[in-house]
Amino acid sequence: MEQFEYYNPARIVFGKDKELETGRLVKPYAKKVLLHYGGGSIKKNGVYDRVVASLRQEQIEFVELAGVVPNPRYSMVQKGIALCKEEQIDFILAVGGGSVIDSAKAIAVGYYVDPSVDYWETYFMTGKPAEKALPIGVVLTMPAAGSETSSGTVVTNDETHFKRSIGGECMIPKFAIINPENNYTMPKYQISCGCADIFAHLMERYFTQVSHVDYSDRLLEASMKTLIHYAPLALEHPCDYDIRAEIAWVGTIAHNNLLDRGRLGDWGSHDLQHELGAIYDIYHGEGLSIMFPAWMKYVWKENPERFVQFAMRVWGVDYAMEDPERTILEGIHQTEVFFQRLGLPIRLHELNIDDTHFREMAEKLLVNREYAGNFKHLTVDDAYNIYCLAK
Amino acid sequence: MEQFEYYNPARIVFGKDKELETGRLVKPYAKKVLLHYGGGSIKKNGVYDRVVASLRQEQIEFVELAGVVPNPRYSMVQKGIALCKEEQIDFILAVGGGSVIDSAKAIAVGYYVDPSVDYWETYFMTGKPAEKALPIGVVLTMPAAGSETSSGTVVTNDETHFKRSIGGECMIPKFAIINPENNYTMPKYQISCGCADIFAHLMERYFTQVSHVDYSDRLLEASMKTLIHYAPLALEHPCDYDIRAEIAWVGTIAHNNLLDRGRLGDWGSHDLQHELGAIYDIYHGEGLSIMFPAWMKYVWKENPERFVQFAMRVWGVDYAMEDPERTILEGIHQTEVFFQRLGLPIRLHELNIDDTHFREMAEKLLVNREYAGNFKHLTVDDAYNIYCLAK
């Protein structure tokens, strides 16, 4: 186990009708709020009305910025920064899923970046940590990204087609309101994509080369087993509170950094997916359900024991004493079967993506960094080979 | 799953030599610190010297208050409050285990209690939540109580022999420094008592009547399984960093409230042990290793399914289809075997405690409350019967 710090001061407010407490939670921080959201689904399911009523009840002034899209855009971030300055905003309220929250975080940090500095090049393209941000609050409508209590944001530059992340404690939201009822109206495919994202967050942390990390291994296994049980049930019973609550709670814990203290996660599959997402406008979750199994097949020999443990403890595969490789491959196969059961693709051709951009994506992956992934340090050739395995 | 809030802003700083960062961590909060510790073991193992050097390096002034004993006393708390006022202290640094931290927390809260109010009667005897406290920091020397990031404190009144707790977010330490190396010099019996305390914290949370709490069930099982594996190893290899690190990390997470969100823990066994501890000056952990199995035998019929799950998932007991009670009793037996393997008592007579005070303890347990425990609401007679089962 490596040395670590853990600090997460986000207040999680979880349960039915909790969005009605938005005003109370915003009040200590804000005079004037930027209400940030996506394509308007929150207007259809009533979340918008309840949040706005709660803000009005506390006499909190707000300005709206709608229209965040999946793979949130840097152009929207720039628009948000300008709006916050113009309107003298002192708090950003993100109402939505990971894209909206990530957009809000990027605006919150960008607000304090010296206008003479190129925000994108200085931070996103170098990974320079964010040091100051406007305070943020979240009303979560979709369990997936875990951004509601995390310290990071991922943004796509719509001009350069780079998808990059930055991190910093200052971005951890002050509060995250999680009402699983607000997930009932999610389309089934969105539920699946969200679960794949959560599962990928757990696997990214699980596949580490750091040894003596048994406790966090077990916490990660507990989280994966919960998701394996409940994700298919959520598709069958989309309006069952108890099922949705389990998934929502896993989704938050999976990405609040608790589960990777003392270890170094991989994140290669996320990076490979980010390059896909920057070129093809696919859902993050479906990109992950394709890239993760391909990555696993390519890298397992770097630490077979870890893949044996994954197969045995997460999937209940028996240990094949005379041929442990069979245990490993069965664990990877079970992972694919799980994604398929959720109706997700596990090969690129299922999304009509061919090898046209494989080399380009592999090269972009390595721009401004020596390698991608920590479990195995991926080169351009490695990345290209993994895209080929995913074909 | 019930609705919940989760908020824990303690900064955990974990790893070798981390006590050398004490000064850096105290600095933002303090001009003058109360350095609070126990019987002086920190002087023998060098922790005191390293902490003091770190404070001096940052030019932080401090006043010492030593002498905290296990089952920390209210008289010491009163002494600490007076000292803090006299010396104009603005930060309390607890260097030690749960007793020192709990004493520090009680001083921190009492500092702000109106002197015209009887602090003990108004807070401890009623459970009134604490609302304001001096900031606290912790250098942990013993994984057990989990008080280093928890929001509660337990204190014994040396005049009335009541042992009672209070809670409140204001008591959550600003930081907790955890260096597993500082546990190497703990006597073996102390290691065992600490592990029993941690295990009890997990079981108190596990035995709930709230349904649909699968994810936290699994996180608790993961925590228990880690402890079951590493506690005996720590006795065999007391200076193995990796073993001590697993236990220390479980000890903190077990009690930082994350694992009981959305559920209501029991805490009857802790309350039964507190009455024991108020009369007999025994270690908290050895009281728990006796009272918990007795409590289990007395209450399992209130929710046999939960005890079946405990036996199967935590201890790997097979399900006895034709007689599930055998599965349950085997799970309880395995719990006793675990405590015995750690060299702990599982019956009161092993500590030379007879039935002299059983009725008195059972009655005191119910003073100022309608019942003890949540899994089964214990009456005076129930408590008496459980003490008899533990004889």
Side-chain angles (χ1 to χ4, degrees):
Chain A
M1 199 188 300
E2 293 179 353
Q3 60 175 34
F4 65 85
E5 284 205 14
Y6 178 67
Y7 174 66
N8 196 315
R11 182 181 296 276
I12 297 168
V13 181
F14 192 107
K16 293 180 183 178
D17 294 329
K18 288 298 179 188
E19 63 276 12
L20 298 174
E21 295 181 29
T22 309
R24 168 182 79 83
L25 291 160
V26 169
K27 190 84 179 175
Y29 300 99
K31 286 197 188 110
K32 196 170 179 185
V33 168
L34 180 73
L35 179 59
H36 200 34
Y37 56 97
S41 65
I42 60 166
K43 291 198 172 168
K44 284 182 211 137
N45 64 16
V47 173
Y48 174 88
D49 288 338
R50 293 196 294 279
V51 166
V52 161
S54 177
L55 290 174
R56 292 211 170 113
Q57 203 178 351
E58 298 287 341
Q59 292 161 315
I60 296 164
E61 209 184 328
F62 61 89
V63 173
E64 299 191 22
L65 180 60
V68 180
V69 293
N71 301 316
R73 306 298 152 87
Y74 185 59
S75 55
M76 171 63 87
V77 170
Q78 288 173 301
K79 202 167 149 185
I81 295 168
L83 187 61
C84 284
K85 289 180 178 173
E86 202 179 293
E87 296 279 349
Q88 296 185 294
I89 295 295
D90 52 10
F91 190 90
I92 306 180
L93 181 64
V95 183
S99 300
V100 174
I101 305 165
D102 279 6
S103 181
K105 285 174 170 175
I107 295 168
V109 171
Y111 179 87
Y112 286 112
V113 172
D114 184 336
S116 69
V117 166
D118 184 326
Y119 179 28
W120 180 264
E121 290 299 324
T122 313
Y123 287 83
F124 288 90
M125 289 310 289
T126 67
K128 178 177 156 74
E131 282 178 358
K132 198 174 176 190
L134 281 172
I136 304 166
V138 172
V139 179
L140 186 69
T141 58
M142 175 176 165
S147 188
E148 63 275 14
T149 66
S150 83
S151 60
T153 177
V154 186
V155 176
T156 298
N157 190 313
D158 18 5
E159 283 179 17
T160 62
H161 295 284
F162 277 97
K163 186 171 178 177
R164 285 290 188 271
S165 60
I166 54 169
E169 277 180 3
C170 61
M171 270 189 276
I172 298 174
K174 300 297 175 195
F175 63 81
I177 295 172
I178 304 173
N179 173 2
E181 290 180 309
N182 292 335
N183 311 333
Y184 291 174
T185 53
M186 279 167 70
K188 282 194 181 187
Y189 195 70
Q190 288 295 325
I191 300 175
S192 295
C193 284
C195 289
D197 194 11
I198 298 169
F199 203 73
H201 288 158
L202 296 164
M203 290 196 294
E204 295 283 21
R205 290 171 165 89
Y206 196 77
F207 292 106
T208 182
Q209 295 286 12
V210 178
S211 56
H212 302 295
V213 288
D214 255 24
Y215 183 40
S216 45
D217 275 357
R218 287 200 182 270
L219 293 174
L220 288 162
E221 291 154 8
S223 308
M224 287 190 264
K225 284 192 280 192
T226 306
L227 203 62
I228 290 164
H229 186 76
Y230 285 101
L233 288 176
L235 297 182
E236 285 171 42
H237 311 282
C239 297
D240 182 313
Y241 181 85
D242 298 315
I243 292 169
R244 291 309 195 100
E246 298 284 354
I247 293 173
W249 194 208
V250 176
T252 296
I253 299 301
H255 204 51
N256 82 345
N257 286 344
L258 180 78
L259 302 188
D260 56 10
R261 293 307 84 182
R263 55 200 291 147
L264 182 65
D266 180 66
W267 301 102
S269 300
H270 262 75
D271 288 338
L272 289 160
Q273 172 351 66
H274 285 170
E275 296 310 328
L276 268 181
I279 292 185
Y280 303 97
D281 214 9
I282 61 174
Y283 292 115
H284 185 52
E286 63 187 359
L288 288 166
S289 68
I290 294 168
M291 294 317 304
F292 226 116
W295 173 86
M296 292 166 112
K297 288 171 202 166
Y298 193 75
V299 306
W300 70 261
K301 284 183 183 153
E302 301 292 318
N303 188 340
E305 295 76 13
R306 182 145 286 275
F307 275 84
V308 167
Q309 184 180 293
F310 173 73
M312 294 182 70
R313 290 208 200 149
V314 176
W315 297 108
V317 179
D318 281 339
Y319 185 62
M321 196 70 74
E322 291 176 358
D323 187 3
E325 185 173 337
R326 278 165 59 186
T327 304
I328 291 166
L329 297 180
E330 180 61 21
I332 297 171
H333 176 66
Q334 290 292 337
T335 309
E336 290 185 327
V337 168
F338 171 62
F339 288 141
Q340 284 184 309
R341 187 174 176 189
L342 298 182
L344 293 167
I346 57 169
R347 297 289 182 275
L348 288 167
H349 70 78
E350 296 176 66
L351 296 182
N352 299 315
I353 294 173
D354 62 18
D355 57 8
T356 312
H357 296 287
F358 282 6
R359 179 59 60 181
E360 176 192 343
M361 293 189 295
E363 279 167 3
K364 274 178 69 189
L365 182 75
L366 273 293
V367 168
N368 281 13
R369 51 183 154 194
E370 277 176 57
Y371 56 84
N374 297 306
F375 188 81
K376 176 180 169 69
H377 291 180
L378 304 177
T379 62
V380 170
D381 282 344
D382 291 326
Y384 178 80
N385 291 338
I386 296 172
Y387 285 125
C388 289
L389 273 175
K391 195 155 59 178
Chain B
M1 198 188 300
E2 292 179 353
Q3 59 175 33
F4 65 83
E5 283 203 15
Y6 179 67
Y7 175 67
N8 197 316
R11 183 181 296 276
I12 298 167
V13 181
F14 192 108
K16 292 180 184 177
D17 294 327
K18 288 299 178 184
E19 63 277 10
L20 297 174
E21 296 182 29
T22 309
R24 168 182 78 84
L25 291 160
V26 170
K27 189 86 179 173
Y29 301 101
K31 286 195 187 110
K32 196 169 179 184
V33 167
L34 181 72
L35 179 60
H36 200 33
Y37 56 98
S41 64
I42 61 166
K43 291 198 172 168
K44 284 182 211 137
N45 65 14
V47 173
Y48 174 88
D49 289 338
R50 293 195 294 278
V51 166
V52 161
S54 177
L55 290 174
R56 290 210 171 112
Q57 202 178 352
E58 297 288 341
Q59 292 160 317
I60 297 164
E61 208 183 329
F62 61 90
V63 174
E64 298 191 23
L65 180 60
V68 180
V69 293
N71 300 317
R73 305 299 151 87
Y74 186 59
S75 55
M76 172 63 89
V77 170
Q78 288 174 299
K79 202 168 151 184
I81 295 168
L83 187 61
C84 284
K85 288 179 179 175
E86 205 178 292
E87 296 279 349
Q88 296 183 293
I89 295 295
D90 53 10
F91 189 90
I92 306 181
L93 180 65
V95 184
S99 300
V100 174
I101 305 165
D102 279 7
S103 182
K105 285 174 170 176
I107 294 169
V109 171
Y111 179 87
Y112 284 112
V113 172
D114 184 336
S116 70
V117 167
D118 184 326
Y119 179 29
W120 181 264
E121 290 298 324
T122 312
Y123 286 84
F124 288 90
M125 290 308 289
T126 67
K128 180 178 155 72
E131 284 179 354
K132 198 173 175 189
L134 282 173
I136 304 166
V138 172
V139 179
L140 187 69
T141 59
M142 173 178 164
S147 187
E148 63 275 13
T149 66
S150 83
S151 59
T153 175
V154 186
V155 176
T156 298
N157 189 312
D158 18 6
E159 282 179 18
T160 63
H161 295 284
F162 276 96
K163 186 170 177 177
R164 286 289 189 271
S165 60
I166 54 170
E169 276 180 4
C170 60
M171 272 187 276
I172 298 173
K174 300 298 174 195
F175 63 80
I177 295 173
I178 304 173
N179 174 359
E181 290 180 310
N182 292 335
N183 311 334
Y184 291 174
T185 53
M186 279 168 70
K188 281 196 182 185
Y189 196 70
Q190 288 294 326
I191 300 176
S192 295
C193 284
C195 289
D197 194 12
I198 298 169
F199 203 71
H201 288 158
L202 296 164
M203 290 197 292
E204 295 284 20
R205 289 172 166 87
Y206 195 77
F207 291 106
T208 183
Q209 295 287 11
V210 178
S211 55
H212 302 295
V213 288
D214 255 25
Y215 183 39
S216 45
D217 275 357
R218 288 200 181 270
L219 293 175
L220 287 162
E221 291 154 6
S223 308
M224 288 190 265
K225 284 191 281 192
T226 306
L227 203 62
I228 290 165
H229 186 77
Y230 285 101
L233 289 175
L235 297 181
E236 285 171 41
H237 311 283
C239 297
D240 181 312
Y241 181 85
D242 298 316
I243 293 168
R244 291 310 194 98
E246 299 283 355
I247 294 173
W249 194 209
V250 176
T252 296
I253 299 302
H255 204 50
N256 82 345
N257 286 344
L258 180 79
L259 302 187
D260 56 9
R261 292 306 85 185
R263 55 200 292 148
L264 182 65
D266 181 66
W267 302 101
S269 301
H270 262 75
D271 289 338
L272 288 159
Q273 163 8 54
H274 286 170
E275 296 309 328
L276 269 181
I279 292 186
Y280 304 97
D281 214 10
I282 61 175
Y283 293 116
H284 185 53
E286 64 188 355
L288 288 166
S289 68
I290 294 168
M291 294 317 303
F292 226 116
W295 174 86
M296 293 167 113
K297 288 171 201 167
Y298 194 75
V299 306
W300 69 260
K301 285 184 182 154
E302 302 292 318
N303 188 339
E305 294 77 12
R306 183 145 284 277
F307 275 85
V308 167
Q309 183 180 294
F310 173 74
M312 293 181 69
R313 290 209 201 148
V314 175
W315 297 108
V317 179
D318 281 338
Y319 185 61
M321 195 70 74
E322 291 176 0
D323 186 4
E325 185 172 336
R326 278 164 59 185
T327 304
I328 292 166
L329 296 180
E330 181 61 20
I332 298 171
H333 175 67
Q334 290 291 339
T335 309
E336 290 185 328
V337 168
F338 172 60
F339 288 140
Q340 284 185 310
R341 186 173 177 191
L342 299 182
L344 293 167
I346 57 168
R347 297 290 183 274
L348 289 167
H349 69 80
E350 296 176 66
L351 296 181
N352 299 315
I353 293 173
D354 63 18
D355 57 8
T356 311
H357 295 288
F358 282 7
R359 180 59 61 179
E360 177 192 341
M361 292 190 295
E363 280 167 2
K364 274 178 71 190
L365 182 75
L366 273 292
V367 166
N368 281 13
R369 52 183 151 191
E370 277 176 58
Y371 56 82
N374 296 306
F375 188 80
K376 177 180 168 68
H377 291 179
L378 303 178
T379 63
V380 171
D381 282 344
D382 290 327
Y384 178 81
N385 291 337
I386 296 172
Y387 285 125
C388 290
L389 273 174
K391 193 154 61 178

